[in-house]
Amino acid sequence: MISQLTIFLQNKEGRLASACRTIGDAGVSMRSLCIADTRDFGVARIICDTPKKACDTLTEAGFRASLVPVVAVKLGDQPGSLAALLEMLDEKGMNVEYGYCFSSDGECAIDVLKISDEAVEVVLKEAGYQVLAPADLYVED
């Protein structure tokens, strides 16, 4: 599992920019950003180079931030690779709570999935998928 930085934000002008500025000023580099919103609040999910430092910095600045364990899977960047992964997880009875993807080098995609089943990494590895460790994506701080 890797650590995803999750920030709960009031859905008002400038709040996301302020959070990004706060971690940027702390020297934290973001790898990916996914935002979900409702009328009153938003949830920013971030993969960054130093997640604990980013979380501590945001918390000290008054933001509601936490680290959430997620699984990161490296897939070939080709049509249908995500569908095959999700179908396999479905066949194994593993519920994907949410997910998002980003590309790291143009040849592969990193799929970040929130799955509560603790056996997910074993299942993925047994199925031949490359599960990324924290050191593959960031500095453990």
Side-chain angles (χ1 to χ4, degrees):
M1 294 284 198
I2 64 166
S3 292
Q4 167 194 273
L5 175 64
T6 300
I7 313 166
F8 295 94
L9 301 165
Q10 287 180 303
N11 194 356
K12 64 183 209 182
E13 194 172 314
R15 201 70 180 134
L16 177 61
S18 179
C20 289
R21 172 56 54 209
T22 299
I23 61 175
D25 287 350
V28 175
S29 179
M30 293 193 301
R31 306 279 189 253
S32 73
L33 168 67
C34 178
I35 303 168
D37 71 327
T38 67
R39 184 171 188 215
D40 298 323
F41 70 93
V43 179
R45 296 180 173 113
I46 299 170
I47 302 298
C48 60
D49 65 346
T50 50
K52 184 175 181 332
K53 177 182 178 181
C55 187
D56 291 347
T57 299
L58 286 164
T59 300
E60 290 168 12
F63 288 92
R64 288 184 52 207
S66 62
L67 296 178
V68 175
V70 293
V71 64
V73 183
K74 188 173 185 178
L75 296 176
D77 192 9
Q78 61 235 35
S81 59
L82 178 59
L85 168 66
L86 295 174
E87 289 165 348
M88 185 277 300
L89 290 169
D90 186 49
E91 288 171 9
K92 299 290 185 182
M94 297 202 161
N95 182 46
V96 177
E97 295 176 31
Y98 62 81
Y100 53 95
C101 307
F102 65 96
S103 178
S104 63
D105 61 10
E107 294 182 18
C108 69
I110 308 298
D111 294 289
V112 178
L113 304 170
K114 174 66 171 136
I115 301 172
S116 296
D117 192 321
E118 293 180 17
V120 66
E121 287 185 288
V122 172
V123 168
L124 288 166
K125 289 176 183 176
E126 287 177 352
Y129 288 97
Q130 183 180 355
V131 177
L132 300 180
D136 295 323
L137 292 173
Y138 56 78
V139 178
E140 291 189 78
D141 48 357

